[in-house]
Amino acid sequence: MGEARNRTAVQEFILEGFPAVQHLGNMLFLVHLLAYLASVMGNTLIITITWADHRLQTPMYILLRSFSFCECGFITTVIPKLLVIFLSGRQTIPFTDCLTQAFSFLFLGATIFFLMAAMSLDRYLAICKPLHYPTIMNLRVCFLLVVFCYALSFIVITGLFLKVSQLSFCGPNVIPHFFCDLGSLIHLSCSDTRSTEMLAFGLTSFILFASLMITIIAYSNIVITIMRLPLAKEQQKAFSTCSSHLIVLSLKYGSCVFIYVKPNQRDRLDSNREAALVNTVVTPLLNPIIYTLRNKQVHQALRDALSRVKLQ
């Protein structure tokens, strides 16, 4: 009994952050604070515009709204703690808070990937099956699709964390990261972690590659359909609706495959921090810019909203 208590002696972890650039802490704090605020404001703007404008009450924009909501939650689980690290150096985080942060990060991250697959499916139906699109992708189906993305993510990540919660932590407690990264946590455990590592590898691979396969199949069919369109103008219009989605997908999948798809968690600890910054700072900041700059309907909704404000 005493041995078991000693084996779970770690009550808190220390987030190391970026010790090599800690002397630039104030400047990095300002840069990341501005990026965080811009990202939250941009995604909140998308949520507000797509909610308020009746013309944007379509499956495409309902999925985009859900995606932006997840992005806001995803970065808020990580960035505030990162800002404190830039100001004050390495930070302690209680054991339960650390597990909660890791769970929230992976749950929202997995939901984002499933939502991106759903958005690809929506674009495939809109472009390749335009006559059947209104009946197949109605608002009820869209709502069920969003619920399914959340439910599947919750089941997968809860299963993984039930396994992680059985690990013992009795030794080193410094996490070489700016948040409670699951791989770093597993690495610090005193237990035999081979089965947990393989489960983490299997489930993260499933999340990434299942959503990636849906996306690849959807966009392959979209490209074939677009190439068959008779007019160049029609081709350009079809490509423009998908290009913004493809930019976001490339950034997301690129950084996440680099971070997570390695069977041995120890292989990826050193290079994770920089790649994770792309995933937690760069893409959430670019998403609102990419989706709004390349979308005429959102432009029109924004213009209408501004004119209403001026009139008032």
Side-chain angles (χ1 to χ4, degrees):
M1 190 77 176
E3 187 186 342
R5 202 177 290 114
N6 288 338
R7 282 175 64 77
T8 54
V10 172
Q11 298 298 312
E12 61 181 22
F13 292 101
I14 297 168
L15 297 172
E16 191 177 48
F18 294 90
V21 292
Q22 193 56 50
H23 59 287
L24 301 171
N26 289 343
M27 187 185 77
L28 290 169
F29 168 83
L30 186 63
V31 169
H32 286 80
L33 175 65
L34 291 173
Y36 174 65
L37 292 174
S39 180
V40 169
M41 286 167 66
N43 280 297
T44 305
L45 182 67
I46 287 176
I47 294 166
T48 309
I49 290 291
T50 55
W51 185 275
D53 196 298
H54 65 92
R55 290 165 301 183
L56 302 182
Q57 300 299 319
T58 62
M60 176 182 168
Y61 293 104
I62 290 168
L63 290 168
L64 179 57
R65 183 162 68 229
S66 304
F67 178 78
S68 292
F69 175 76
C70 272
E71 283 281 31
C72 284
F74 180 70
I75 58 175
T76 301
T77 60
V78 172
I79 303 300
K81 198 73 178 173
L82 174 62
L83 295 174
V84 176
I85 289 171
F86 282 140
L87 278 184
S88 315
R90 52 166 59 186
Q91 288 292 306
T92 58
I93 183 167
F95 183 86
T96 50
D97 290 4
C98 191
L99 282 182
T100 304
Q101 187 190 47
F103 176 84
S104 303
F105 179 81
L106 286 175
F107 165 62
L108 290 167
T111 307
I112 284 168
F113 278 105
F114 290 136
L115 282 170
M116 288 198 297
M119 290 161 80
S120 303
L121 198 59
D122 174 70
R123 289 301 82 210
Y124 159 73
L125 290 170
I127 292 169
C128 302
K129 312 278 183 186
L131 297 176
H132 303 291
Y133 177 73
T135 49
I136 298 172
M137 188 60 83
N138 54 47
L139 293 179
R140 182 175 172 274
V141 170
C142 181
F143 174 75
L144 289 173
L145 205 53
V146 171
V147 170
F148 176 75
C149 290
Y150 277 98
L152 183 59
S153 302
F154 185 79
I155 291 163
V156 170
I157 302 303
T158 300
L160 177 57
F161 269 79
L162 286 173
K163 182 76 173 170
V164 171
S165 66
Q166 294 168 4
L167 298 175
S168 301
F169 296 90
C170 54
N173 68 336
V174 178
I175 295 175
H177 216 302
F178 60 86
F179 69 95
C180 288
D181 172 59
L182 185 69
S184 305
L185 271 177
I186 292 170
H187 179 54
L188 292 176
S189 173
C190 323
S191 311
D192 182 357
T193 60
R194 281 172 297 183
S195 61
T196 310
E197 284 187 30
M198 288 314 294
L199 180 65
F201 171 70
L203 290 179
T204 50
S205 298
F206 163 73
I207 291 163
L208 289 170
F209 289 117
S211 58
L212 183 60
M213 283 310 296
I214 292 167
T215 304
I216 288 171
I217 292 165
Y219 274 98
S220 300
N221 281 286
I222 286 169
V223 169
I224 292 164
T225 303
I226 289 171
M227 297 315 290
R228 287 178 183 158
L229 291 174
L231 299 173
K233 192 176 179 181
E234 285 181 349
Q235 288 184 358
Q236 190 183 354
K237 187 184 174 185
F239 268 123
S240 72
T241 60
C242 301
S243 56
S244 54
H245 192 192
L246 285 171
I247 295 165
V248 173
L249 286 167
S250 305
L251 286 166
K252 275 279 181 195
Y253 281 111
S255 59
C256 284
V257 167
F258 178 79
I259 293 170
Y260 291 106
V261 186
K262 292 175 185 175
N264 189 341
Q265 301 288 350
R266 289 164 178 76
D267 290 344
R268 61 183 184 81
L269 294 180
D270 295 331
S271 54
N272 266 11
R273 278 173 276 198
E274 292 76 13
L277 276 179
V278 174
N279 200 19
T280 55
V281 179
V282 180
T283 50
L285 175 63
L286 290 178
N287 288 349
I289 299 167
I290 290 167
Y291 280 117
T292 53
L293 278 181
R294 301 185 63 84
N295 193 306
K296 288 174 184 174
Q297 284 176 292
V298 174
H299 282 188
Q300 189 57 50
L302 276 170
R303 276 196 294 270
D304 293 349
L306 287 171
S307 16
R308 280 197 298 270
V309 169
K310 282 177 188 174
L311 283 171
Q312 287 171 2

